[in-house]
Amino acid sequence: DGTTQEAITNYEKSRLIAKSFFPPPPLHDPVPPDTIYPDPVEQLPPITPDQVTRAIAKLSGYKVPGPDGICNIVFKECAGILTPYLTHLFNAVYSHHVYYQPWCCFSMVVLRKPGKPNYSIPKAYQCKDYNLASMIANYHLC
């Protein structure tokens, strides 16, 4: 809305950043009720071991583990052993639509965007998520 607020405490700062990242939903549904949708896209091909390997390679090794408690370094150091199992696991997850509950949650890290002149505004920050499930989804869907 263009107003300026100064946040002093960590609580106030976190509320402003959350408000910036997650604005309220629109008051009215922008999609007309008589909208005709196209046919669904065809089924995605299965996840390949190469996609799993590339996703593991992009993980940051020494980050704090997510809600599942598995450190990324375990995936990185054991990729050769784990890749065939993870490939089958992720294919089963996507084909049966059954998700391991801790994978439904994730840790979001808020980082300063480099080179911004003013870090007192929420738009000077970015969100990063570092878990294997989201990396696989990105490789599979993109």
Side-chain angles (χ1 to χ4, degrees), residues 59-60 63 72 107 109 111 128-132 134-135:
L59 290 172
S60 299
K63 299 293 179 184
N72 289 343
S107 299
V109 180
L111 302 172
K128 293 289 184 180
D129 174 26
Y130 296 101
N131 71 39
L132 183 59
S134 66
M135 297 285 279

Side-chain angles (χ1 to χ4, degrees), residues 56-64 71-76 130:
I56 290 172
K58 287 205 159 232
L59 290 172
S60 299
Y62 294 101
K63 299 293 179 184
V64 175
C71 297
N72 289 343
I73 194 64
V74 172
F75 294 114
K76 292 181 82 61
Y130 296 101

Side-chain angles (χ1 to χ4, degrees), residues 24-78:
L27 296 175
H28 303 288
D29 189 355
V31 180
D34 58 347
T35 299
I36 298 172
Y37 293 95
D39 292 333
V41 295
E42 64 184 62
Q43 186 72 18
L44 290 171
I47 295 169
T48 65
D50 183 57
Q51 288 173 310
V52 174
T53 301
R54 285 185 291 149
I56 290 172
K58 287 205 159 232
L59 290 172
S60 299
Y62 294 101
K63 299 293 179 184
V64 175
D68 62 7
I70 303 171
C71 297
N72 289 343
I73 194 64
V74 172
F75 294 114
K76 292 181 82 61
E77 292 295 323
C78 302

Side-chain angles (χ1 to χ4, degrees), residues 40-129:
V41 295
E42 64 184 62
Q43 186 72 18
L44 290 171
I47 295 169
T48 65
D50 183 57
Q51 288 173 310
V52 174
T53 301
R54 285 185 291 149
I56 290 172
K58 287 205 159 232
L59 290 172
S60 299
Y62 294 101
K63 299 293 179 184
V64 175
D68 62 7
I70 303 171
C71 297
N72 289 343
I73 194 64
V74 172
F75 294 114
K76 292 181 82 61
E77 292 295 323
C78 302
I81 297 167
L82 293 175
T83 296
Y85 297 101
L86 291 171
T87 302
H88 289 296
L89 174 73
F90 283 113
N91 279 314
V93 164
Y94 291 128
S95 65
H96 297 293
H97 305 286
V98 178
Y99 300 92
Y100 177 52
Q101 188 57 42
W103 289 354
C104 295
C105 304
F106 57 90
S107 299
M108 184 66 68
V109 180
V110 179
L111 302 172
R112 288 181 172 186
K113 291 180 182 175
K116 291 291 181 179
N118 184 357
Y119 289 109
S120 65
I121 57 172
K123 290 187 179 195
Y125 295 85
Q126 61 186 334
C127 291
K128 293 289 184 180
D129 174 26

